[in-house]
Amino acid sequence: MEVFFEFLWSASAILLVILVLLHSPKGDGLAGIGGQAQLFSSSKSAEQNLNRITWTVATLFLSISVVLGAGWLSAATGP
């Protein structure tokens, strides 16, 4: 059982890196100083879906990290 979670943790880490790299850059540059960066920013459907998937995978990764780090799987199976 623990091996499955370790594989799922590794796969979610790799997928999370790929998803973060797929995001478009959100750097405002000098336009961020005057607040003009918000004027032309619009969220498209593809970007919204990518955000949802990224947050889901990040939540999965962090949850599995807590479970594996706390040792709850090895404690449940016994010595």
Side-chain angles (χ1 to χ4, degrees), residues 52-72:
R52 280 191 205 118
I53 294 169
T54 304
W55 277 108
T56 303
V57 172
T59 304
L60 177 72
F61 175 77
L62 290 174
S63 300
I64 295 173
S65 296
V66 168
V67 170
L68 289 174
W72 292 336

Side-chain angles (χ1 to χ4, degrees), residues 5-44:
F5 275 99
E6 288 175 356
F7 172 76
L8 191 61
W9 180 70
S10 299
S12 66
I14 292 169
L15 184 61
L16 188 60
V17 168
I18 292 169
L19 288 171
V20 167
L21 289 175
L22 283 175
H23 278 278
S24 60
K26 302 228 188 308
D28 295 338
L30 291 176
I33 296 173
Q36 297 297 321
Q38 301 283 336
L39 184 62
F40 298 111
S41 66
S42 64
S43 186
K44 298 177 183 167

